[in-house]
């Protein structure tokens, strides 16, 4: 049995605890690895090493740091096939999708290569007579990240390359369901020249998370996961005086206007609702059919959902892989049962799918509900599986209101040919990431990623300029050099002359 340990101070570390988690291959249902579940002692050791490494790493010039990041980028590219296969093996998503997610993470590494430009600060000559003032951004110290199962490489890469490029050191607690890819990334980072102790991984569950929240030497916590845990992280990290950004769950709506290019909308929705088996925080799980478009939309989507090719992620013909665990499969099936009980019309039922040779894998076919109402739990709650709900509304205003009333505000899209509808939607919608005729509006690495409402607790989004702000603190210096002129003591608030 493959054993995954921790990664502390540049080497594999078995830790103080004998607790282990099981890791299954979702395509077969077979257990392939065990992962050590760390303790407070392990976490505190990782932080101690990271704190020691901070002294020298924060003094390395931004350009030298960027050169290490650049070599890391090169190594990720060279090892992309192996990294992708690790994602497929533990998460289940199909190979090309897994590769795409790795590349979206790689783009953050590319952005981090330009960090000297982002850290330049601002300077004003003569804010007062012979007085200059400048602002600079300095690293925080030891930063920590806690990440979800659904993007085992990309989401950690939203965090640690940015933090480390800014001069911080980092301790990551990845999802205990699929940690292998990021363990490999840690080894590649070392090979790229990263000094020991700058990047550490402590595998584990709530025990390690709580140790992160309590450790006084951690300055900032980045979290991505479900909303209840995001709120817990936000409250407890803040209580312990840490900077925190905590990204939570989602229920993303795609508005389909009667004037849209329906082919484009249907294809966009198919990828956005069923890609990665719906296990994406930017998945479109609600289609809002406006006016008279509902019947044709459901008619066209249902044919495509029925034709979806479900299979193991390594099979090049599969369009959708299995769900991550047996428990998650049961949970998603439970929601489909619930939708039927709540009175929604189940147009396509994927619950009974069976794949020859993969009978123990965690598969479910695409499911499609029509006539979903806003008081149903299948509408209100995040299902995180390949289940699309169609809600019918009379007009654009009703669609806008529906989305703005929802507790989540991660991503949303509108399909329309009407520029006025598109612009009003972008302007009035209370959601962090908006697409106009774009199904999954995930910002590129040099913009920043984050939702509104209960999809993000904290002020700063991830990566891009907001990431730099999150992982640095501002210092403003005002200086005057002796010039022979002596001033007398001043007892009033100085004003610049
Ligand atoms: P999760 O909240 O169960 O787990 C996330 C992390 O928190 C994991 O590392 C896990 O070990 C830890 N954790 C779990 N329970 C905990 C507890 N009781 N106390 C302390 N720590 C705990 O999320 P998940 O199932 O791994 O991922 C899916 C969720 O993540 C979905 O809700 C999805 O929308 C969300 N997500 C959000 C974004 C975003 O950008 N907003 C991106 C990806 C995923």
């Amino acid at each position: 049995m493959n054993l995954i340990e921790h990664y502390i101070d540049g080497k594999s570390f078995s830790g103080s605890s004998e607790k282990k988690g099981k890791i299954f291959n979702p395509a077969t249902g077979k257990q392939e690895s065990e992962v050590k579940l760390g303790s407070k002692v392990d976490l505190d050791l990782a932080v101690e090493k990271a704190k020691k490494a901070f002294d020298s790493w924060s003094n390395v010039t931004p350009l030298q740091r960027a050169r290490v990041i650049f070599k890391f980028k090169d190594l990720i590219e060279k090892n992309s096939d192996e990294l992708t296969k690790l994602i497929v093996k533990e998460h289940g998503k199909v190979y090309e999708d897994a590769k795409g997610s790795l590349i979206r993470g790689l783009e953050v590494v590319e952005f981090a290569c330009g960090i000297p430009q982002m850290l330049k600060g601002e300077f004003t000559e003569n804010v007062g007579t012979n007085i200059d003032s400048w602002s600079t951004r300095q690293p925080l110290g030891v930063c920590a990240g806690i990440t979800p199962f659904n993007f085992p490489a990309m989401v950690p890469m939203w965090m640690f390359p940015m933090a480390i490029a800014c001069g911080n050191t980092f301790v990551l607690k990845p999802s205990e369901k699929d940690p292998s890819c990021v363990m490999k990334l840690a080894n590649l980072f070392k090979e790229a020249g990263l000094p020991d102790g700058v990047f550490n991984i402590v595998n584990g569950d709530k025990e390690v998370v709580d140790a992160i929240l309590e450790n006084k030497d951690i300055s900032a916590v980045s979290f991505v996961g479900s909303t209840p845990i995001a709120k817990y992280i936000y409250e407890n990290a803040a209580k312990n005086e840490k900077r925190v950004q905590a990204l939570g769950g989602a229920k993303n709506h795609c508005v389909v206007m009667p004037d849209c290019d329906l082919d484009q909308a249907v294809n966009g929705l198919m990828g956005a609702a069923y890609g990665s088996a719906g296990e994406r925080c930017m998945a479109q799980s609600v289609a809002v059919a406006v006016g008279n478009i509902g019947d044709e939309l459901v008619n066209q989507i249902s044919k495509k959902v029925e034709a979806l090719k479900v299979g193991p992620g390594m099979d090049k013909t599969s369009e959708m892989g299995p769900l991550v665990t047996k428990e998650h499969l049961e949970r998603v099936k439970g929601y489909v049962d619930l939708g039927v009980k709540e009175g929604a019309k189940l147009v396509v039922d994927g619950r009974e799918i069976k794949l020859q040779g993969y009978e123990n894998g965690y598969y479910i076919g695409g499911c499609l509900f029509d006539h979903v109402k806003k008081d149903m739990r299948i509408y209100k709650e995040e299902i995180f599986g390949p289940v699309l709900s169609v809600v019918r509304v009379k007009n654009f205003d009703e669609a806008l209101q529906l989305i703005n009333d929802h507790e989540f505000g991660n991503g949303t899209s509108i399909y329309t040919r009407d520029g006025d509808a598109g612009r009003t939607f972008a302007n009035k919608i209370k959601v962090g990431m908006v697409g106009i005729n774009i199904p999954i509006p995930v910002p590129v690495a040099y913009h920043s990623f984050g939702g509104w409402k209960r999809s993000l607790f904290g002020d700063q989004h991830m990566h891009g300029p907001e990431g730099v702000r999150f992982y640095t603190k501002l210092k403003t210096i005002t200086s005057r050099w002796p010039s022979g002129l002596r001033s007398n003591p001043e007892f009033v608030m100085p004003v610049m002359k």
Side-chain angles (χ1 to χ4, degrees), residues 146-151 155 158 173-177 204-206 209-210 223-227 229 232-233 247-250 280-281 382 384 410 449 455:
I146 302 158
T147 51
F149 79 82
N150 68 320
F151 284 109
V155 170
W158 287 351
K173 203 297 287 171
S175 171
E176 60 276 43
K177 296 185 180 112
D205 54 19
K206 180 170 165 49
V209 172
D210 286 340
F223 173 86
V224 177
S226 59
T227 289
I229 312 298
Y232 174 79
I233 302 286
L247 278 60
R280 289 183 184 143
C281 65
E382 183 181 40
F384 222 54
N410 214 38
F449 183 105
S455 294

Side-chain angles (χ1 to χ4, degrees), residues 155-468:
V155 170
M157 287 158 95
W158 287 351
M159 303 174 181
F160 73 84
M162 292 293 304
I164 288 171
C166 289
N168 301 284
T169 55
F170 204 88
V171 178
L172 177 74
K173 203 297 287 171
S175 171
E176 60 276 43
K177 296 185 180 112
D178 47 16
S180 289
C181 186
V182 82
M183 292 295 284
K184 171 79 187 168
L185 284 171
N187 283 299
L188 294 179
F189 218 168
K190 180 178 168 113
E191 198 181 325
L194 192 74
D196 292 346
V198 176
F199 182 42
N200 309 275
I201 298 174
V202 181
N203 284 304
D205 54 19
K206 180 170 165 49
E207 191 176 338
V208 176
V209 172
D210 286 340
I212 288 173
L213 297 173
E214 283 158 20
N215 189 299
K216 297 241 172 321
D217 289 322
I218 292 178
S219 305
V221 178
S222 300
F223 173 86
V224 177
S226 59
T227 289
I229 312 298
K231 188 162 188 292
Y232 174 79
I233 302 286
Y234 182 63
E235 290 173 349
N236 287 287
K239 194 171 80 189
N240 291 318
E241 302 176 6
K242 299 179 196 317
R243 186 175 284 204
V244 52
Q245 51 181 183
L247 278 60
K251 192 84 181 177
N252 305 312
H253 296 65
C254 179
V255 177
V256 183
M257 295 292 287
D259 70 338
C260 76
D261 177 332
L262 194 58
D263 272 358
Q264 206 183 45
V266 167
N267 285 333
L269 261 169
M270 282 304 297
Y274 301 101
S276 202
E279 293 172 319
R280 289 183 184 143
C281 65
M282 289 293 275
Q284 298 282 9
S285 49
V286 182
V288 186
V290 179
N292 59 5
I293 196 97
D295 288 347
E296 192 48 31
L297 176 71
V298 171
N299 177 36
Q300 290 200 22
I301 291 197
S302 59
K303 286 187 198 137
K304 295 206 179 214
V305 179
E306 274 159 5
L308 253 179
K309 176 101 181 56
V310 181
M314 287 309 295
D315 181 338
K316 288 252 150 79
T317 64
S318 302
E319 291 168 324
M320 193 172 95
L323 293 177
V324 67
T325 57
K326 196 166 189 321
E327 295 70 36
H328 191 53
L329 174 65
E330 294 311 324
R331 188 175 167 274
V332 172
K333 280 186 177 170
Y335 269 110
V336 182
D337 299 345
L338 176 68
V340 174
K341 272 199 212 116
E342 288 184 310
K345 183 178 173 198
L346 185 57
V347 182
V348 185
D349 182 358
R351 284 174 294 182
E352 295 310 321
I353 195 169
K354 286 273 170 294
L355 294 182
Q356 215 181 357
Y358 294 93
E359 288 78 4
N360 295 322
Y362 312 138
Y363 299 94
I364 180 170
C367 299
L368 177 66
F369 277 114
D370 193 7
H371 297 290
V372 174
K373 304 282 181 241
K374 65 179 179 184
D375 57 348
M376 293 179 181
R377 278 184 53 206
I378 57 160
Y379 171 72
K380 292 195 279 195
E381 297 173 17
E382 183 181 40
I383 299 174
F384 222 54
V387 183
L388 177 64
S389 295
V390 178
V391 178
R392 295 174 180 234
V393 298
K394 281 196 222 56
N395 53 36
F396 173 81
D397 287 345
E398 205 186 316
L400 197 71
Q401 194 64 45
L402 182 78
I403 301 172
N404 284 348
D405 286 346
H406 204 284
E407 73 166 303
F408 298 122
N410 214 38
T412 188
S413 289
I414 185 168
Y415 276 87
T416 182
R417 286 189 169 101
D418 179 346
D420 184 35
R423 188 184 180 281
T424 307
F425 186 74
N427 182 247
K428 298 284 180 215
I429 206 76
K430 293 178 183 156
V431 172
M433 294 170 282
V434 183
I436 301 174
N437 299 316
I438 297 287
I440 314 180
V442 175
V444 292
Y446 47 96
H447 286 258
S448 302
F449 183 105
W452 284 18
K453 297 190 273 184
R454 301 190 80 236
S455 294
L456 190 156
F457 302 98
D459 303 321
Q460 305 282 357
H461 291 197
M462 292 212 174
H463 65 68
E466 295 252 305
V468 175

Side-chain angles (χ1 to χ4, degrees), residues 23-40:
I23 297 179
F24 297 87
N25 183 335
T28 58
K30 197 168 154 247
Q31 187 189 346
E32 296 197 1
S33 305
E34 287 183 315
V35 59
K36 284 272 185 147
L37 300 177
S39 65
K40 181 170 171 9

